Amino acid sequence: MLTSTYTLVALSVEQARARVDLQALLDRWRPAAWWGEPPTAHQYEAACEALRQASDACQWRKLDKFVLPVLHRRGAAAVALLTELDALSRRAHVARMAAQCAAAEDNPSCLAALEQCCELLLERLEREERELLPLARTVIPGDHWLTIANQMLAHDTVQNEHRDTGRSTVRAMAAPDVSIRKAPAVVPVAPSVN
């Protein structure tokens, strides 16, 4: 039981992070937030790139990788909810594509589509938190939670290794250049013999 609690807490933290990122994106690019001059084509592109990153982060969470597959296999109790959540994701994807098309045409409807996508993803996150995680706690047996927790830890380890590898590459690239000038020649001194 403790394993399921810790795993669900880790998933809730990930949910909260995704929610904060989406809300910040929504607050920044909500059409009502823009007054005066409309955004430029470059700003529309930046908004769409931020939306792509936030959307991808919502699709590649640990919940999607480790919990949803178990729920799909566990039976009918979760099927209806999973179907509704998938429908929200599909609608969000359509809105994201509409935002990208509008941005390519420098069309202000880009921001309305971005807003719709964010709201759909936020709705999905809310329903996962309110309905899916409590359902998962009751449907998934304890031994499966241990497996999920181990998978999540292994995933975190791999992510940290990749992150550390990236940092060391950046450090190596940012290291100061070594001078190619030769140091002054030092004449070896022979030890004196007494």
Side-chain angles (χ1 to χ4, degrees):
M1 191 62 148
L2 227 52
T3 304
S4 68
T5 302
Y6 287 131
T7 305
L8 288 167
V9 166
L11 293 171
S12 291
V13 167
E14 187 178 52
Q15 294 283 103
R17 188 177 315 123
R19 189 178 303 112
V20 165
D21 290 347
L22 280 169
Q23 191 61 52
L25 177 66
L26 186 58
D27 291 344
R28 168 75 170 95
W29 293 105
R30 186 181 302 269
W34 287 87
W35 49 275
E37 301 237 357
T40 64
H42 178 69
Q43 289 171 317
Y44 286 136
E45 290 171 12
C48 286
E49 177 58 22
L51 179 60
R52 183 197 63 76
Q53 290 175 1
S55 178
D56 287 352
C58 285
Q59 292 176 356
W60 297 105
R61 293 167 297 144
K62 293 173 187 152
L63 178 78
D64 295 287
K65 291 178 186 176
F66 306 119
V67 177
L68 294 186
V70 175
L71 283 175
H72 276 290
R73 291 189 303 263
R74 292 305 298 173
V79 171
L81 180 57
L82 291 173
T83 301
E84 291 172 20
L85 294 175
D86 286 342
L88 284 171
S89 291
R90 284 192 302 277
R91 289 175 47 209
H93 180 74
V94 169
R96 181 177 145 204
M97 293 299 107
Q100 288 177 332
C101 289
E105 298 171 356
D106 198 20
N107 186 333
S109 67
C110 167
L111 298 183
L114 181 142
E115 180 179 28
Q116 181 184 18
C117 180
C118 288
E119 287 175 352
L120 288 165
L121 291 172
L122 285 167
E123 181 182 345
R124 179 183 170 123
L125 290 171
E126 173 64 28
R127 290 198 61 196
E128 286 172 350
E129 191 77 24
R130 192 180 69 241
E131 300 172 46
L132 186 74
L133 292 177
L135 177 66
R137 180 174 222 145
T138 61
V139 171
I140 299 174
D143 58 332
H144 280 77
W145 283 112
L146 184 59
T147 302
I148 292 169
N150 285 334
Q151 290 171 336
M152 288 171 56
L153 287 172
H155 178 265
D156 286 346
T157 301
V158 169
Q159 293 291 359
N160 288 336
E161 287 174 358
H162 286 294
R163 199 172 303 126
D164 290 343
T165 301
R167 285 183 191 142
S168 63
T169 301
V170 169
R171 279 189 216 119
M173 291 174 20
D177 291 336
V178 177
S179 176
I180 57 172
R181 289 184 286 157
K182 293 187 176 187
V186 177
V187 179
V189 178
S192 60
V193 179
N194 289 9

